[in-house]
């Protein structure tokens, strides 16, 4: 073989002085510059609360799918629904943002259980939104997606929209409606015939139908309640007229369990009152589905009372045993 095909050894080059920029230490990364604690961003929300709700839904959808959360749309929907039940007390948003992914299911369980004590009927209706949080062996990738959804929702101002103490302020928009619509596949919505009425239409209908002659004790019935947007508009109209939604009866029904679950959570967020019932059945069926809904609500409260009585008994026994241990001399003292 000729030497022309062999690599030639290059002559050693003379050493050059290092440039001035190479003598400086490399710039610190963003992670190194920022402290360990994460704080919520100050989101400049649109003036229109409905546009704000749509922006929250868009950012949550991006976070869920970019984190490969999967096809279980009840998980991101239930995460946002649970966070919407929180009140925006100082420091709470920062505390939630600093939770680890594996800590979020416990947070959501505590949120839902806290409201279950007050309204077991509505929380039982919304069980599809949060039953995944009780999974003893959760998928780690799904938890990371839930973590991304939590950060996206809070950093887009979710708690600024739904965390007010005043029910009128937290009823300005329906956050769950655009999120549920965005999570549904186009063919799925077509098959279900699920088309949520825009808020501008429901507001117009409420202003046209609810006038000053309305009296407390009357009922509002919605056979295709969806996420409850029509109820929101009527409740706001009542408040504008100086009336309290607690003084009226609300009967909402939807054939889809996720939509009914969203309506049940929204009934708590919008503070529709103790006379609000949400059912999940076919409104075109001949039987009286509202009678079934009332029976299910009654059973939910009775079950709650049984559980609370059992829990109180257990606590009383534990306190009694602790008192006996304090009164009885220990073996070491007896010796």
């Amino acid at each position: 073989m000729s030497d022309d095909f062999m690599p030639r050894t290059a002559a050693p080059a003379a050493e050059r002085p290092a440039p001035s920029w190479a003598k400086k230490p490399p710039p610190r990364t963003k992670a190194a510059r920022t402290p360990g604690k994460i704080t919520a961003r100050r989101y400049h929300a649109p003036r229109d609360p409905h546009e704000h709700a749509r922006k929250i839904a868009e950012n949550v959808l991006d976070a869920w799918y970019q984190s490969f959360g999967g096809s279980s749309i009840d998980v991101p929907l239930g995460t946002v629904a649970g966070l919407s039940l929180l009140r925006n007390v100082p420091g709470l948003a920062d505390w939630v943002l600093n939770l680890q992914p594996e800590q979020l299911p416990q947070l959501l369980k505590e949120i839902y259980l806290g409201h279950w004590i007050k309204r077991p009927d509505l929380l039982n209706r919304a069980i599809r939104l949060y039953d995944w949080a009780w999974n003893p062996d959760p998928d780690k990738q799904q938890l990371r997606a839930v973590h991304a959804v939590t950060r996206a929702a809070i950093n887009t101002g979710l708690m600024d929209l739904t965390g007010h103490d005043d029910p009128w302020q937290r009823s300005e928009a329906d956050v769950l409606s655009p999120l549920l619509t965005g999570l549904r596949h186009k063919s799925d919505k077509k098959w279900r015939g699920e088309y949520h009425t825009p808020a501008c239409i429901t507001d117009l209908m409420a202003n046209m139908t609810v006038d000053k002659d309305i009296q407390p004790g009357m009922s509002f019935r919605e056979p295709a309640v969806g996420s409850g947007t029509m109820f929101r508009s009527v409740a706001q109209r009542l408040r504008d007229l100086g009336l309290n939604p607690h003084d009226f009866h609300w009967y909402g029904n939807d054939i889809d369990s996720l939509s009914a679950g969203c309506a049940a959570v929204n009934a708590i967020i919008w503070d529709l009152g103790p006379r609000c019932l949400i059912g999940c059945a076919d409104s075109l069926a001949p039987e009286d589905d509202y009678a079934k809904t009332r029976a299910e609500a009654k059973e939910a409260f009775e079950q709650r009372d049984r559980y609370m009585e059992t829990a109180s008994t257990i606590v009383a026994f534990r306190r009694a045993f602790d008192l006996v241990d304090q009164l009885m001399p220990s073996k070491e003292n007896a010796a």
Side-chain angles (χ1 to χ4, degrees), residues 46 48-56 58:
D48 183 8
H50 306 297
E51 184 62 31
H52 188 185
R54 286 190 290 269
K55 191 62 180 178
I56 292 173
E58 291 176 3

Side-chain angles (χ1 to χ4, degrees), residues 63-242:
W64 175 254
Y65 290 119
Q66 289 179 7
S67 301
F68 306 100
S71 59
S72 300
I73 66 174
D74 54 321
V75 178
L77 192 62
T79 301
V80 176
L83 296 174
S84 300
L85 293 169
L86 292 173
R87 293 294 170 264
N88 194 13
V89 298
L92 179 59
D94 296 342
W95 180 81
V96 174
L97 288 175
N98 284 276
L99 294 177
Q100 298 302 313
E102 59 273 10
Q103 295 175 305
L104 290 175
Q106 181 62 31
L107 169 66
L108 293 170
K109 287 193 290 186
E110 293 177 1
I111 294 172
Y112 281 112
L113 284 175
H115 287 277
W116 177 84
I117 294 175
K118 300 177 182 179
R119 290 302 304 269
D121 57 326
L122 295 179
L123 267 296
N124 285 0
R125 183 64 63 209
I127 191 171
R128 273 201 63 189
L129 297 178
Y130 61 86
D131 60 346
W132 59 268
W134 268 260
N135 186 359
D137 187 22
D139 181 75
K140 293 183 178 179
Q141 182 61 42
Q142 189 179 80
L143 289 182
R144 286 191 287 268
V146 170
H147 191 243
V149 163
T150 301
R151 290 191 170 186
I154 291 179
N155 286 327
T156 317
L158 173 67
M159 298 178 68
D160 295 332
L161 193 61
T162 61
H164 296 281
D165 290 330
D166 183 7
W168 190 95
Q169 288 183 286
R170 65 174 182 263
S171 303
E172 289 188 300
D174 182 358
V175 177
L176 300 181
S177 176
L179 181 57
L180 176 58
T181 304
L183 288 168
R184 292 277 197 212
H185 192 272
K186 184 177 180 180
S187 60
D188 191 16
K189 288 186 288 187
K190 184 178 180 180
W191 174 77
R192 294 175 184 273
E194 182 181 44
Y195 299 96
H196 290 205
T197 307
C200 58
I201 303 298
T202 58
D203 289 343
L204 177 61
M205 294 173 62
N207 291 334
M208 293 175 60
T209 56
V210 180
D211 53 25
K212 296 181 180 179
D213 296 332
I214 193 168
Q215 298 295 326
M218 297 179 66
S219 301
F220 300 102
R221 296 173 181 260
E222 176 58 83
V225 70
S227 60
T229 304
M230 190 69 216
F231 279 178
R232 183 202 65 81
S233 298
V234 173
Q236 293 296 77
R237 174 62 174 166
L238 292 174
R239 294 184 177 109
D240 291 340
L241 294 174

Side-chain angles (χ1 to χ4, degrees), residues 215-219 246-249 275:
Q215 298 295 326
M218 297 179 66
S219 301
H246 289 207
D247 297 332
F248 296 84
H249 296 271
R275 297 180 176 88

